[in-house]
Amino acid sequence: MSSPSGSDNHKNSKTAKLSVSKDNDGIVDPAMVTFFKQIGISEDNIDKAVMMACENGTAIEAELIANRFISENEYYRSMAKRLGMVYLKTILPSSIITSPSIDVLLSRKGPLRIQLGDRILTVINPALSAFFKLEELLQTKPDLKESFAIASSAMIREAVWQVNEKERVEAVVRELHDTKPNMSAKALLTNWQCFFLGILIFGTCLLIYFQPNNIILILHASFSLFYLSFNLLKLSAGFFFYAEADPDKLPTRPELLPKYTILIALYKEEQVAQQLIKAMSRLKWPKSKLDIKLICEDEDISTITALIDVNPGPQFEIIRVPYLRPKTKPKALQYAMVAAKGEFVAVYDAEDRPHPDQLLEAYREFERHGEYLACLQAPLVMTNADRGWLPGLFSLEYSSLFRRLIPLLSHFGLPIPLGGTSNHFRKSALLEVGGWDPCNVTEDVDLGIRLYKQGYYTGLLKRPTLETAPTKINVWIKQRTRWLKGWMQTWLVFMRHPLQQLANGGIFSFIIMQILIGGLLIASLAHPFVIFFIALTINEILSNTFFEASILEICLFYLDIFNIVAGYLIFVRVGMSSLISAQKKMIKKHWLFFTPLYWLLMSVAGWRALSQLPLRSQFWEKTPHEPARREL
């Protein structure tokens, strides 16, 4: 194709750029330019690709494909035509000659051996510099053409995914339990935990039978103190302020940026497919260095079809997870990890719209703080706080968690319950701790604690991810049920070896973990009983029998009132103070009076979670996501 009109000087400047530009294997020469022109790429697009390859430190063909100047299929089809080789537009999984290391082809280029009839072919997709060397070789040894075929990287990966897929997904479910059984929630209780729990329940029932009033008072006092401790922890977080993002200190040299993998688990998310692709496409990171995995359940045809219809770029790959229980988000993430090409891994949800600079900020923090910084958590901001009291109070809760409590825990080097999205990991650390537990339905909390136990720490990002809060009570309850059930799973796993946890992390860290997890669960479960006790005591006051109560009962009455009132006030005050300015304008003040109802709904979810724990601990209660109606 002819070049755009311009002077000879302009053409000479292009040639100069080409002569000094480098791909991953060597210096670009005019033969490469000639090849690009022959396959139909304009000089203008060639020039753009060369400039981007120089800036990003990548191969020119990578930039041509990533920026859609040519499709990957067309690129390798043209290469095969010039070499006189077979081009495979499809590869039958049954034709692949497997090996124990075949999964390596999911994350990097390499030869794939297949058998077609009585012929064995080596399928390749050579880099451009290797292409010219191969062309020279075939001129002297043309018979080699019969032993090779060419296919696109995407086609090779698609075929390899289907090889041994059942065995692969079974291995994913077993792996953490087989290699690190004490960290897996596959078996909910260990033998000694079952024994101890049985003794505890039997002993408590026995004591209640013989000393009902005293034992109930002791249990009441214990729960109230946990409740108080949880309130004091949240109150402390209210004094910990979260600094705003500094926009002037992000990396500015794209050639130093590594490959970055993004994992997004999707199930019945066809409504947000287009929004998701747009959000990921806005990320400021070289397209040729992005590796975005859209992970779908194999039978979820509607979501897969919706993603294909959006026509995402070559940096996106749709991965189909074969059916196998448990059908959970962490299983999907762990299944895709074998194909992660990046040095760093980010996790997003289907409805997320991360700040375009979030990956750049994460990379900067990883580079600043060294190998023991294993994870970075970005704050989540709800954009639909104006849709009613439920999303409004949900926004308060999220804001206080991500802009107050998590920063407090991070500052003091304490274990952090990660949010389920916008986590950025150093891949080496993630692999070392065993990745995600497919059997834990709140995989974020579990992974945050496991990273801490292995000596890693978690930092914070300032550039947020925008999300939408649930607007319907039944959706909110299902989502909260899953979260609280996962917290229960995580606490049981954490307490398998309490003395070891105490020795490794120290008493302060151990106590904070008990308050954070135990306090949240007790506050959720005990809330209606505390209100009932207060109401019962007020009735006794009105009937003049209250002053016949013991000092302990009177103290518990005042403590319960303090816990309830302080819990509501802390929830509102800390939440409102941590909202960003755009959100504050959305919250109507009379919605704050729904706080008691919000907490009672949390108790409903807590008891639902507890009822599911014995027999349905790995059941993932799916909640739908709606497309965003606005940005902040």
Side-chain angles (χ1 to χ4, degrees), residues 502-522:
L502 186 61
N504 292 343
I507 189 168
F508 182 64
S509 171
F510 186 83
I511 291 174
I512 291 295
M513 280 303 303
Q514 300 304 320
I515 294 173
L516 187 64
I517 298 181
L520 171 66
L521 294 175
I522 288 172

Side-chain angles (χ1 to χ4, degrees), residues 35-174:
F35 173 68
F36 294 146
K37 290 179 181 179
Q38 287 175 347
I39 64 177
I41 304 173
S42 69
E43 284 191 38
D44 189 47
N45 285 341
I46 294 170
D47 190 38
K48 289 177 183 177
V50 169
M51 294 300 296
M52 284 186 282
C54 289
E55 292 173 1
N56 299 331
T58 55
I60 297 174
E61 63 265 34
E63 296 298 338
L64 288 169
I65 294 170
N67 291 279
R68 294 186 162 186
F69 297 148
I70 189 171
S71 71
E72 188 183 23
N73 284 334
E74 185 58 37
Y75 178 80
Y76 284 107
R77 182 183 290 111
S78 301
M79 184 178 284
K81 183 178 180 181
R82 175 157 166 171
L83 293 174
M85 284 186 180
V86 173
Y87 175 75
L88 300 176
K89 59 182 179 180
T90 58
I91 300 174
L92 293 175
S94 58
S95 70
I96 294 176
I97 301 173
T98 60
S99 69
S101 60
I102 193 170
D103 280 359
V104 75
L105 297 179
L106 296 173
S107 59
R108 71 176 192 218
K109 287 187 176 183
L112 174 69
R113 290 172 61 78
I114 64 172
Q115 184 161 4
L116 297 178
D118 58 353
R119 294 175 60 197
I120 293 179
L121 294 178
T122 301
V123 185
I124 59 174
N125 47 5
L128 191 59
S129 55
F131 161 75
F132 290 109
K133 295 175 184 177
L134 181 58
E135 188 175 39
E136 292 177 6
L137 178 63
L138 292 177
Q139 288 174 359
T140 58
K141 297 181 180 180
D143 292 343
L144 286 176
K145 294 178 184 179
E146 302 302 317
S147 302
F148 288 89
I150 289 180
S152 67
S153 301
M155 182 51 59
I156 291 175
R157 287 196 305 271
E158 183 179 334
V160 172
W161 273 120
Q162 297 176 67
V163 175
N164 302 327
E165 60 178 3
K166 182 179 179 182
E167 292 79 4
R168 187 184 297 114
V169 73
E170 288 174 348
V172 163
V173 173
R174 293 194 315 264

Side-chain angles (χ1 to χ4, degrees), residues 9-22 27-29 33 46-48 50-52 54 60:
N9 289 337
H10 177 65
K11 292 179 181 179
N12 291 337
S13 68
K14 285 187 177 182
T15 305
K17 290 173 189 174
L18 289 170
S19 66
V20 297
S21 300
K22 294 183 179 181
I27 297 175
V28 176
D29 60 41
V33 183
I46 294 170
D47 190 38
K48 289 177 183 177
V50 169
M51 294 300 296
M52 284 186 282
C54 289
I60 297 174

